[in-house]
Amino acid sequence: MLKIGDYQFQSRLFLGTGKFPNFDIQKEAVDVSETEVLTFAVRRMNIFDPEQPNFLEKIDVSKYKFLPNTAGAKTAEEAVRIAKLAKASGLCHMVKVEIIGCDKTLLPDPVETLRATEMLLEDGFTVLTYTSDDVVLARRLEELGAHAIMPGASPIGSGQGIINPLNLQFIINQSNVPVIVDAGIGSPKDAAYAMELGADGVLLNTAVSGADDPVKMAKAMKLATEAGRLGFEAGRIAEKTYAVASSPKEGISIGT
Amino acid sequence: MTIVVNGNSLEISNSVKSVAELLQELKLADKSLIVEHNQNILTKEEHVNVSIKDGDRLEIVHFVGGG
């Protein structure tokens, strides 16, 4: 059971909602992923097109906890405003602090991220902070009271997977709040790897929405997340340099 | 009167008195959305009470797909 703030989750897979081919495929992918947490972004409505469909109209909103992000914000103040807008929707259980500091790498601005986390915690939000894999920054976020730390595996949408498992391991080992590996997951092996490192969950989007078959990939990610978690809980064997036979050395029957 | 909604200058009837009536006028009344009126974020319950005046600036936002 994963606990974040006042919320409890069976599923350790959080799913983003961007860039799916269409709402039907998206809904099926969300269903088979068995996720309980969906992220969204907050954007201006097209006021001249009242008929535009919205994914929220397609799903049973009571089944999910919503984790709107503050994407688009460059400063802590902008992030706080977006979070407050999201909260006014009545569909905001938690907020994902996301303040991009570099348009090319989409890496977060650590200073603004720290400030926004502090401000939102003061306002009573349940705060999950997207951060780089900086170990000390992760500790500082926890000290502020962040409800979960969400280090990136590699740049957002890059699909490069876990490029610095050592830092993720350091963050996971030191943290007393859940660590959700967010961003950069490309394939099921990345999700399983994150979970095997001891992450409490993974948040991914493009890996599913951009797959040739998003529904099948959603299922694969669900299974990979579960497999990685089970593997972590089971405790893997130590790595050895040389072979260790699985079959007994005694009693070998060779006709002499 | 003229108001600014999402950066667009809009000429609307003086009969539109409240944010709720503006949303009716824009055919957005039954949408899941959030309104910011002159930099004040409104709850749904406030839509009927907050009046619209010439020169007001509004932001109407909603949830879209994102990660």
Side-chain angles (χ1 to χ4, degrees):
Chain A
M1 185 78 82
L2 169 59
K3 289 183 190 172
I4 297 179
D6 293 334
Y7 303 108
Q8 295 191 357
F9 306 106
Q10 297 287 342
S11 166
R12 293 174 181 272
L13 174 60
F14 294 9
L15 203 58
T17 55
K19 299 190 293 187
F20 279 84
N22 61 58
F23 285 155
D24 289 336
I25 289 175
Q26 181 169 8
K27 184 176 185 311
E28 208 181 334
V30 168
D31 284 345
V32 304
S33 77
E34 295 182 21
T35 187
E36 296 165 77
V37 178
L38 294 173
T39 63
F40 284 93
V42 177
R43 289 291 180 272
R44 277 179 169 172
M45 258 185 137
N46 180 351
I47 57 167
F48 303 112
D49 182 14
E51 297 308 314
Q52 62 192 309
N54 189 291
F55 184 60
L56 284 171
E57 296 163 357
K58 309 285 179 187
I59 56 172
D60 176 1
V61 294
S62 69
K63 280 174 62 182
Y64 304 97
K65 294 289 181 280
F66 292 99
L67 175 63
N69 65 38
T70 65
K74 298 274 189 193
T75 66
E77 286 73 18
E78 288 171 6
V80 169
R81 174 175 169 268
I82 292 172
K84 286 180 175 174
L85 283 167
K87 192 177 182 184
S89 72
L91 288 173
C92 171
H93 303 90
M94 307 172 282
V95 65
K96 168 178 165 176
V97 172
E98 178 177 352
I99 303 177
I100 301 304
C102 170
D103 291 336
K104 194 164 185 175
T105 62
L106 297 183
L107 287 168
D109 182 321
V111 177
E112 297 302 316
T113 295
L114 199 74
R115 288 180 58 229
T117 299
E118 186 166 31
M119 290 159 76
L120 287 166
L121 287 167
E122 274 174 20
D123 281 339
F125 282 84
T126 298
V127 181
L128 289 68
T129 303
Y130 165 63
T131 169
S132 65
D133 58 13
D134 187 290
V135 179
V136 178
L137 181 60
R139 195 190 71 220
R140 294 287 295 268
L141 289 165
E142 180 177 343
E143 285 169 359
L144 283 179
H147 296 86
I149 312 295
M150 302 208 292
S154 51
I156 292 173
S158 73
Q160 290 185 49
I162 295 170
I163 53 174
N164 193 342
L166 186 65
N167 271 24
L168 286 183
Q169 189 72 75
F170 287 157
I171 291 171
I172 289 163
N173 289 353
Q174 77 180 2
S175 295
N176 300 299
V177 294
V179 175
I180 312 293
V181 173
D182 177 9
I185 302 274
S187 75
K189 84 174 193 320
D190 303 330
Y193 190 14
M195 297 308 294
E196 278 194 62
L197 288 172
D200 297 278
V202 292
L203 195 173
L204 51 92
N205 184 343
T206 312
V208 168
S209 67
D212 289 345
D213 184 339
V215 176
K216 196 170 271 188
M217 188 58 85
K219 178 79 177 283
M221 288 300 187
K222 169 194 128 66
L223 294 172
T225 305
E226 289 175 1
R229 179 66 190 182
L230 281 175
F232 169 73
E233 289 176 358
R236 59 153 296 154
I237 60 164
E239 289 184 34
K240 300 166 198 81
T241 305
Y242 291 101
V244 181
S246 308
S247 310
K249 288 174 189 162
E250 300 78 26
I252 295 172
S253 170
I254 300 197
T256 52
Chain B
M1 64 180 147
T2 307
I3 60 172
V4 178
V5 181
N6 290 359
N8 304 287
S9 222
L10 287 189
E11 195 59 43
I12 57 160
S13 157
N14 286 329
S15 66
V16 172
K17 301 289 184 207
S18 68
V19 168
E21 287 174 20
L22 174 68
L23 293 176
Q24 291 279 357
E25 184 84 1
L26 295 172
K27 300 189 168 55
L28 297 172
D30 56 353
K31 292 282 172 180
S32 181
L33 49 74
I34 309 116
V35 180
E36 186 186 56
H37 175 256
N38 294 335
Q39 302 195 335
N40 289 314
I41 297 167
L42 308 180
T43 62
K44 265 193 174 48
E45 296 71 38
E46 290 171 319
H47 290 181
V48 284
N49 300 323
V50 173
S51 53
I52 297 281
K53 292 181 293 296
D54 188 57
D56 279 358
R57 300 184 74 87
L58 294 100
E59 286 286 318
I60 302 178
V61 301
H62 65 159
F63 282 170
V64 300

